[in-house]
Amino acid sequence: MAKVRDAAYRQNLTNKREMAPIFESHELQLFRKLEEVDYLIACISSEATTCCVSSDYCREYIRIHVTDMIDQIAEKREKEWKSKSRKAKRRTS
């Protein structure tokens, strides 16, 4: 049992040690893009408020649709990566 915990503990340390610099190397670019998205969402929210849409409804609507968009983007990327992987395997065969 101790070996399992030790292995899990070591993996956790590795994850933390490796993930921080990877994330930090992309953090500024990600931050800037999220600022752009925040501005667009603020515009949508402002327009909705002008049209008498309640702020709670607007916030939930945006949350649901942005989450759906993120899922769609991830699915598209995964398909593209799988396709590229298959093409690369064919070339090496």
Side-chain angles (χ1 to χ4, degrees):
M1 191 72 150
K3 289 183 180 180
V4 172
R5 277 191 240 158
D6 290 340
Y9 177 77
R10 283 194 306 272
Q11 183 62 54
N12 188 38
L13 288 177
T14 300
N15 291 346
K16 288 179 181 178
R17 183 183 66 237
E18 298 298 328
M19 193 62 203
I22 292 168
F23 186 85
E24 288 170 3
S25 71
H26 299 280
E27 189 170 12
L28 183 58
Q29 184 179 9
L30 180 60
F31 188 85
R32 288 183 177 151
K33 290 187 182 290
L34 289 173
E35 282 181 320
E36 293 174 22
V37 171
D38 178 66
Y39 176 79
L40 291 171
I41 289 173
C43 290
I44 293 167
S45 182
S46 176
E47 190 173 334
T49 302
T50 302
C51 295
C52 300
V53 176
S54 77
S55 60
D56 287 342
Y57 181 84
C58 178
R59 190 174 15 262
E60 183 65 11
Y61 186 93
I62 290 171
R63 185 192 64 77
I64 289 169
H65 285 80
V66 168
T67 301
D68 184 53
M69 286 181 195
I70 292 169
D71 290 343
Q72 289 177 41
I73 291 166
E75 288 174 10
K76 179 182 175 194
R77 175 185 34 80
E78 288 169 1
K79 286 179 185 176
E80 289 172 356
W81 284 6
K82 285 179 184 177
S83 175
K84 287 179 184 178
S85 175
R86 286 185 193 136
K87 288 178 183 176
K89 286 180 183 177
R90 286 184 205 148
R91 288 183 199 153
T92 59
S93 298

